[in-house]
């Protein structure tokens, strides 16, 4: 095999809790992560000449060592003494800096793809360990599906697949830095916490209504202060039939869960038109 084309799928958080902070600034989290259908595509080709050639259809994203997909290729080449080179072509569809782990998904695709085309024979756990050196969401993007993340986000437990959820994702035209959101979070005085255990039961019972009503993310306490429109979007999703809505990750993307795809499509059309927003997507949850 000399080339491989992979989907790099985004993630959302059904719950996101922060339970404390380490002295070095890292936060302890408890969050339920879910893979969704929105994806970038990543084409990876083996080339004879040593080196890394990266291109991306989003012109303002860096294509050098600042790109996390480039970093993944460099780490794979160094760790496994790969003598040949790779060319990587990324078609981005996941909004950037949106709380959807788009960069981490590209990074995961490069790690998995290089394992295949260079026939390294590494198992998923080993790939996840390599990924953890590049970003805290990368191991989940390698694992995919539904998972509980604990510790500093590094302890992942695979969960039973979530029932298929029809969702609308809305991304405001602002970028949010995950580091800034965590820096401004007062994790010892949070006004609410998600009921993670209840969400775990709702997923197990495949109860869409209970999953929607249990959506919760403590990072909203910071990001909504920075961008109050996030709250309006959450309400707009509910007004248009969502069973529940919440911000994903550190934001600004908000999503709502709908009873069926048609209601989700209708809500997306209305929100696009009324709020004059371009980045509105109808997506669904996906298993591994
Ligand atoms: P997370 O939810 O994991 O915090 P995010 O969705 O908020 O991630 P990303 O889209 O991964 O954020 O982008 C974060 C930063 O990473 C951006 O500022 C961007 O410039 C940089 N970056 C580097 N490589 C990539 C890539 N391949 N795709 C997107 N962003 C990238």
């Amino acid at each position: 095999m000399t080339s491989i084309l992979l989907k790099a799928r985004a993630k959302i958080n059904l719950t996101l809790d922060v339970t404390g902070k380490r002295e070095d600034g890292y936060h302890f989290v408890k969050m339920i992560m879910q893979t969704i259908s929105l994806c970038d595509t990543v084409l990876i080709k083996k080339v004879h000449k040593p080196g890394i050639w990266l291109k991306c259809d989003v012109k303002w994203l860096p294509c050098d060592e600042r790109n996390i997909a480039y970093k993944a290729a460099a780490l794979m080449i160094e760790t496994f003494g790969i003598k040949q080179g790779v060319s990587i072509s990324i078609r981005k569809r996941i909004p950037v800096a949106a709380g959807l782990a788009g960069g981490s998904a590209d990074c995961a695709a490069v790690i998995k793809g290089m394992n295949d085309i260079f026939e390294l024979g590494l198992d998923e756990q080993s790939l996840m360990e390599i990924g953890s050196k590049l970003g805290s969401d990368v191991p989940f993007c390698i694992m995919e599906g539904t998972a509980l993340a604990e510790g500093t986000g590094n302890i992942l437990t695979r969960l039973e697949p979530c029932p298929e959820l029809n969702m609308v994702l809305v991304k405001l035209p602002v970028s949010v830095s995950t580091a800034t959101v965590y820096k401004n979070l007062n994790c010892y005085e949070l006004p609410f916490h998600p009921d993670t255990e209840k969400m775990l039961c709702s997923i197990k019972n495949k109860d869409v209504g209970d999953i929607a009503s249990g959506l919760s993310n403590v990072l909203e306490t910071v990001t909504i202060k920075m961008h109050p429109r996030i709250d309006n979007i959450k309400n707009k999703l509910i007004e248009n039939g969502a069973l529940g809505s919440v911000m994903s990750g550190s934001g600004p993307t908000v999503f709502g869960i709908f009873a069926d795809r048609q209601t989700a499509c209708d809500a997306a059309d209305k929100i696009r038109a009324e709020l004059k927003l371009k980045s509105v997507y109808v997506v669904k949850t996906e298993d591994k």
Side-chain angles (χ1 to χ4, degrees):
M1 191 198 299
T2 55
S3 72
I4 189 165
L5 179 67
L6 290 172
K7 278 186 182 177
R9 298 185 289 176
K11 65 90 192 155
I12 49 154
N13 301 91
L14 296 173
T15 58
L16 195 163
D17 199 6
V18 179
T19 54
K21 197 174 168 183
R22 262 186 357 200
E23 269 175 23
D24 59 8
Y26 273 95
H27 288 83
F28 293 112
V29 296
K30 197 165 188 183
M31 51 192 184
I32 301 177
M33 329 257 288
Q34 174 63 51
T35 299
I36 58 169
S37 52
L38 181 66
C39 64
D40 296 341
T41 50
V42 182
L43 176 65
I44 308 161
K45 283 188 192 154
K46 209 190 266 185
V47 290
H48 198 65
K49 208 171 146 203
I52 301 165
W53 290 267
L54 180 90
K55 61 178 187 197
C56 176
D57 61 353
V58 173
K59 293 298 162 229
W60 50 269
L61 268 181
C63 284
D64 52 18
E65 41 286 301
R66 289 168 296 170
N67 194 300
I68 188 164
Y70 186 107
K71 284 189 187 142
L75 184 61
M76 293 296 280
I77 288 171
E78 192 199 307
T79 310
F80 300 104
I82 296 168
K83 298 282 179 279
Q84 289 156 296
V86 274
S87 91
I88 301 164
S89 174
I90 304 176
R91 194 184 79 138
K92 277 217 81 78
R93 291 299 172 265
I94 307 171
V96 177
L100 299 170
S104 304
D106 297 345
C107 178
V110 170
I111 293 172
K112 286 196 282 191
M114 286 183 70
N115 182 46
D116 287 348
I117 59 172
F118 292 105
E119 295 171 23
L120 302 174
L122 299 162
D123 61 15
E124 189 174 79
Q125 195 55 42
S126 313
L127 298 179
M128 286 164 63
E129 270 159 37
I130 295 165
S132 68
K133 297 187 178 131
L134 296 165
S136 57
D137 284 339
V138 181
F140 173 74
C141 291
I142 290 172
M143 180 189 230
E144 299 188 300
T146 311
L148 174 69
E150 294 171 287
T152 54
N154 57 326
I155 306 167
L156 285 177
T157 310
R158 181 176 293 289
L159 301 173
E160 278 182 42
C162 195
E164 185 174 283
L165 302 173
N166 290 290
M167 299 187 295
V168 174
L169 242 65
V170 184
K171 151 84 171 54
L172 285 173
V174 293
S175 292
V176 168
S177 147
T178 305
T180 308
V181 172
Y182 273 101
K183 216 187 285 158
N184 289 309
L185 182 77
N186 184 348
C187 65
Y188 298 110
E189 279 174 30
L190 289 168
F192 63 88
H193 285 279
D195 190 340
T196 312
E197 298 309 316
K198 186 156 179 255
M199 183 60 94
L200 292 173
C201 285
S202 309
I203 293 171
K204 210 169 174 185
N205 296 336
K206 312 232 181 274
D207 189 322
V208 175
D210 278 355
I211 292 173
S213 60
L215 298 172
S216 179
N217 177 352
V218 298
L219 300 184
E220 284 184 349
T221 59
V222 179
T223 315
I224 291 183
K225 274 196 200 116
M226 291 157 63
H227 304 288
R229 275 188 85 194
I230 289 173
D231 216 19
N232 303 342
I233 309 267
K234 282 180 64 182
N235 294 331
K236 200 82 191 160
L237 284 160
I238 300 287
E239 271 169 39
N240 283 285
L243 307 170
S245 65
V246 75
M247 185 180 87
S248 182
S250 50
T253 302
V254 174
F255 66 92
I257 295 177
F258 290 79
D260 55 71
R261 189 174 162 85
Q262 192 54 54
T263 326
C265 289
D266 294 346
D269 287 344
K270 246 175 129 185
I271 291 171
R272 238 180 248 122
E274 278 179 28
L275 303 183
K276 299 193 173 29
L277 288 172
K278 275 196 228 141
S279 302
V280 181
Y281 310 86
V282 178
V283 303
K284 62 181 180 64
T285 50
E286 285 193 351
D287 300 344
K288 186 177 169 51

